Amino acid sequence: MSAGLLQQMLIGALLGLSVYLPLRCGQLSLATPGFFAIGGTVAALLSTRIPAFAGTGATSPLPALLLEMGLGGLLAALLAWAIGGTVLRLRGIYLAIATIALVEILRVITLNLPFTGGALGIFGIPQPFATASGYAGFTLVLLALVCWLCARLEQLRLGRAMAAIRDDELAATCVGIDTAAVKLNAFVLSALLAGLTGALAAHFLNSWNAKVGSFDASITTLAFVVFGGSRTWLGPVIGGLVLTALPELLRPVGDLRLIVFGLVILLGPVLFPQGLITPQALQGLGHGLVGLGQQLRGYGHQLLERANGPRRP
Amino acid sequence: MDLIQLLLNGLSLGAVYALFALGYTLVFSVLGVINFSHGAVFTLGAYFTYLLIGGQAGANGLLAGLQLPFALPFALALPLAGLASALVALLIERVAFRPLRRRGADSLLALISSLGAGVILVNLIQLLMGAESYAIPIGTLGALPAALSLGGAQVRTVQVLLLAISVLLLVVLSVWLEGSRSGKALQAVSEDPVTAQLLGIDSDAMIRLAFGISGFLAGVSGGLVGLSVSIAGPYFGISYGLKALGVLVLGGLGSVPGAMLGGLIIGLAEAFVPAAWSGWKDAVAYGFLFLILVLRPQGLLGKPQATKV
C-alpha cells in the first residue's frame, strides 16, 4: 500500500467521523462534503495568495498549515452554527434533503465566485510535506487525536445526551436534556472536523475545485458510516478506511471496480443492517480476547510446569 | 429570446421535473423512503430510447458499434423504453428494498442500498456504452417540422411535444390515482400499509406497482430529455434527480399535485434566470428547496405531520 493511498484512507476516516457525530444523536446530515469544501477552499486561497503562508523554502511552513486548518474549521463551524438552529428543526429525510441542498448551493457558489478559479479550481497549492509519507504521518496523529476525543465524548455528558436523543428524543427532553443545544453542538463539531480535514486535503491534493463538495461525496461519506456502523466511533473509522481503499484495491478488476463498489454499497446494508462494527461485536471480540488470554495463560502454566518439573508439595 | 419560447422552455422543463418528482413521490408515499436509484433509471430510459430508435453504440464501450437490427419510430420506442425501465425498477425493488423491508430495518438503510443500485446501473451503462454523449436525431419524429409557429413566435417542436406528453402522463396518473380501484388501493397503502393489508389489499403488490410506474415515468422522461437536449453521458440523470428532489420537497413530500406545482415553479424560475447569470441557474432549485424547508417544511401542498409518541 502506498503512502498516498494511506493518506486518502485516513482522510476518509476523518470524514466518516464527521458524518458520525450528528448521526450519533440521530440526525442524518449529509452536509459534511460542503464543510470539507469550505475548509479546503480557505486553505487553497490563503496558501496561494498570501506569500507568508507559502513560505520560502522547498516546503511551506507547518504552522501555516495548522493555522489554515484552524481557520477552515472555524469558518465551517461558524456556518454550521448560523444555519444549524433552523435546519436542525427538520427531522429524518427532510434534514437529509436540506443538507444535500446546502452542499449543492455551496458548490454553485464556489463555482461562480470570481476568486475561486471557476470549474478548474485553484492549482499549485504549496506542500507542507515533501512526501506522501509525511502527510500520512501527520494525518495519522490527527486521526488518533480525533478518535481519542470521540471516545472521550462518548463517555461525557454531551456524548451520552447525544445517544439519548438518538434512542428517544421525547424521553431525552423529559429528563431535562436541551435537545436543540445538543444537536447543534454535534452539528458544529461535525463541521469543524470536516473543515479542518478539508484544509489538510487541499494541500495533499495540490489542487481544489468545486467538484470536491458534491452529492456523490455526500453519499460516499454516508456510506462510510452505514457500512462501518454508527453506534460507536470505531465504525465510521473502519468504514472510511475500508471503503476509501476499496476502489483502489479493486483496480485489478479494471472497469468493473465501480460496479463492484456499488455492489458493496448495495449489499452492505442488506447483509449488515447494523454496520460491521457494533458495540455487541466489540464486546464479543473483547470477551474473545479475554478468553484467548486466559487460555494462553493456562498454556503458559502448563509449559512452566513441564519445564520446572512437578511442583514439590 | 422570445417570451413565448422562454415560457415554453420553463413549462416543458417543469413538466419533466414533475414527472421525475412523481416517480419519487409514488415510492416515497408507499415506503417513506427516497429511492436514490431513480436518477439512474432515468438515464437508462434515455439510453433505451436511443438504442430502440436504431441508434448505434459509440466506440468506447463493450457494446462498441452495436446497433439493433430494427429502428422503431420515436412514438413506439419511448413507451417501450419506459416499460424496460419499469422492469429495471422492479428488479431494484426486489434486490435493494425488499430484503430490508422484510427485516423491518431502518429506512435510512434503503436509502444507501438504493444508491448502491444506482451506482451499479450508471457504471454498467458506462461500461457498455462508454462515457460519450449521444443525441437522439430529430428525424426520428417522422414528418414533423423542426419548429412550429405559435402566436407569431417560432418554437421548437420538441419542446411542444415534451410538454404535451408530460402533461398527458400527469393527467392520466392523477385520474388513475383518484378514480380507479387500484389507484385508491395504492393510496390506502401509503396511508397505512398494515390496515390496508387487513382490508384485503396486497401491500406488496401495491409497492411493486408503485416501483413499476415510477420506473416507467423515469424512463419516459429520460427519453424525452434525451430527445430535447441529448444524452450527456451516463451521469446526466443525477443532476436532474437532485433537482427533482427540490421539486418534491417544494410541493410537499408524498403529494401528487404538489409535485406538479413544484415542477412548474422551479422549471419556470430556471427558464427566467437571465443568460448573464446562467452559472447560478443550478442554485435556483436548491435555493427554493432550502427556503421552503426552513419556512414550511411540509411543502406547499403537503400536510403537516404530527409526531407520534
Side-chain angles (χ1 to χ4, degrees):
Chain A
M1 183 169 39
S2 71
L5 177 58
L6 179 65
Q7 167 69 3
Q8 284 176 23
M9 289 164 64
L10 293 170
I11 287 178
L14 286 168
L15 291 179
L17 282 172
S18 163
V19 180
Y20 159 74
L21 283 168
L23 208 55
R24 181 164 170 81
C25 44
Q27 308 302 305
L28 174 55
S29 157
L30 296 175
T32 289
F35 297 128
F36 178 67
I38 290 180
T41 307
V42 168
L45 283 175
L46 287 176
S47 60
T48 52
R49 300 290 157 87
I50 301 175
F53 279 87
T56 47
T59 55
S60 60
L62 194 59
L65 172 68
L66 293 176
L67 186 62
E68 286 161 22
M69 287 169 65
L71 287 174
L74 200 66
L75 190 66
L78 269 177
L79 178 67
W81 179 75
I83 61 167
T86 34
V87 171
L88 289 170
R89 279 187 317 198
L90 302 168
R91 282 158 207 280
I93 197 78
Y94 288 92
L95 177 64
I97 295 175
T99 48
I100 290 177
L102 176 71
V103 171
E104 288 295 319
I105 291 173
L106 287 173
R107 185 177 66 84
V108 174
I109 292 177
T110 320
L111 211 53
N112 287 291
L113 281 181
F115 50 84
T116 45
L120 292 176
I122 300 168
F123 283 94
I125 301 171
Q127 301 292 309
F129 302 102
T131 61
S133 341
Y135 275 105
F138 178 81
T139 314
L140 197 62
V141 174
L142 178 68
L143 179 63
L145 185 72
V146 174
C147 283
W148 179 75
L149 287 173
C150 286
R152 281 290 297 146
L153 181 72
E154 287 178 16
Q155 311 297 325
L156 287 176
R157 198 186 168 82
L158 177 62
R160 291 209 303 262
M162 283 160 69
I165 295 174
R166 178 192 57 203
D167 291 339
D168 191 334
E169 188 167 345
L170 193 69
T173 317
C174 291
V175 295
I177 294 173
D178 183 352
T179 53
V182 170
K183 284 196 259 182
L184 187 61
N185 276 329
F187 191 55
V188 170
L189 282 177
S190 155
L192 180 73
L193 181 56
L196 65 89
T197 307
L200 181 61
H203 282 281
F204 172 67
L205 294 175
N206 190 15
S207 70
W208 197 256
N209 61 37
K211 255 193 184 155
V212 175
S214 66
F215 172 67
D216 285 5
S218 290
I219 294 303
T220 319
T221 46
L222 177 60
F224 295 166
V225 184
V226 172
F227 189 76
S230 63
R231 291 272 157 176
T232 163
W233 60 270
L234 192 59
V237 172
I238 302 282
L241 292 174
V242 172
L243 286 189
T244 315
L246 197 61
E248 290 304 313
L249 297 180
L250 287 173
R251 217 168 256 288
V253 297
D255 292 337
L256 282 174
R257 71 193 176 106
L258 282 172
I259 296 179
V260 177
F261 184 66
L263 266 177
V264 171
I265 301 183
L266 169 65
L267 294 179
V270 176
L271 299 178
F272 303 101
Q274 297 280 323
L276 284 179
I277 311 290
T278 58
Q280 289 81 7
L282 282 181
Q283 223 168 25
L285 192 68
H287 285 315
L289 283 180
V290 169
L292 193 68
Q294 277 166 351
Q295 227 168 14
L296 284 177
R297 218 168 57 187
Y299 284 132
H301 279 302
Q302 279 179 9
L303 283 177
L304 271 178
E305 276 176 17
R306 262 185 221 161
N308 297 340
R311 271 183 207 155
R312 286 182 195 116
Chain B
M1 207 192 279
D2 240 4
L3 185 69
I4 293 183
Q5 178 68 56
L6 261 184
L7 203 65
L8 191 66
N9 281 349
L11 283 175
S12 54
L13 188 64
V16 169
Y17 285 155
L19 274 187
F20 210 121
L22 269 180
Y24 277 130
T25 292
L26 282 174
V27 170
F28 183 86
S29 63
V30 290
L31 286 184
V33 192
I34 302 277
N35 171 13
F36 269 127
S37 66
H38 200 55
V41 177
F42 167 91
T43 313
L44 204 59
Y47 278 86
F48 279 146
T49 313
Y50 175 78
L51 285 175
L52 282 171
I53 58 156
Q56 193 178 24
N60 294 324
L62 281 182
L63 297 179
L66 174 102
Q67 198 169 14
L68 292 179
F70 50 84
L72 298 176
F74 188 76
L76 207 57
L78 189 68
L80 278 181
L83 283 179
S85 310
L87 287 180
V88 174
L90 284 175
L91 181 70
I92 291 173
E93 191 272 333
R94 180 74 189 78
V95 180
F97 286 85
R98 205 184 302 173
L100 287 169
R101 202 165 67 241
R102 287 277 148 81
R103 294 186 187 192
D106 192 347
S107 62
L108 161 68
L109 290 172
L111 202 134
I112 298 286
S113 59
S114 71
L115 197 95
V119 171
I120 295 174
L121 276 185
V122 167
N123 285 290
L124 212 55
I125 295 175
Q126 177 148 0
L127 188 70
L128 295 175
M129 299 285 288
E132 58 257 63
S133 64
Y134 293 95
I136 296 179
I138 192 80
T140 184
L141 291 175
L144 289 179
L148 293 174
S149 172
L150 200 79
Q154 290 282 313
V155 293
R156 289 176 63 207
T157 314
V158 178
Q159 303 284 68
V160 180
L161 207 63
L162 190 72
L163 184 61
I165 296 177
S166 309
V167 170
L168 179 74
L169 280 175
L170 292 174
V171 170
V172 168
L173 196 72
S174 311
V175 169
W176 171 74
L177 265 178
E178 295 301 329
S180 77
R181 207 179 156 77
S182 50
K184 282 185 175 153
L186 190 78
Q187 289 193 42
V189 173
S190 74
E191 199 74 35
D192 188 340
V194 179
T195 312
Q197 189 95 38
L198 287 175
L199 292 172
I201 297 169
D202 184 351
S203 285
D204 268 355
M206 284 300 135
I207 290 171
R208 282 197 295 278
L209 188 65
F211 269 92
I213 297 175
S214 139
F216 182 82
L217 292 179
V220 167
S221 41
L224 285 172
V225 172
L227 176 70
S228 122
V229 291
S230 92
I231 307 167
Y235 287 91
F236 97 118
I238 292 177
S239 65
Y240 281 94
L242 281 181
K243 280 194 198 149
L245 218 53
V247 167
L248 189 65
V249 175
L250 181 62
L253 270 179
S255 154
V256 173
M260 297 183 203
L261 181 67
L264 211 63
I265 293 177
I266 291 187
L268 282 174
E270 278 193 3
F272 280 93
V273 171
W277 289 75
S278 65
W280 295 91
K281 202 185 220 169
D282 284 345
V284 172
Y286 306 117
F288 265 118
L289 201 169
F290 205 75
L291 268 183
I292 197 82
L293 277 175
V294 170
L295 299 176
R296 195 180 150 85
Q298 71 270 31
L300 292 175
L301 299 182
K303 293 182 207 94
Q305 283 178 335
T307 329
K308 288 176 199 147
V309 178

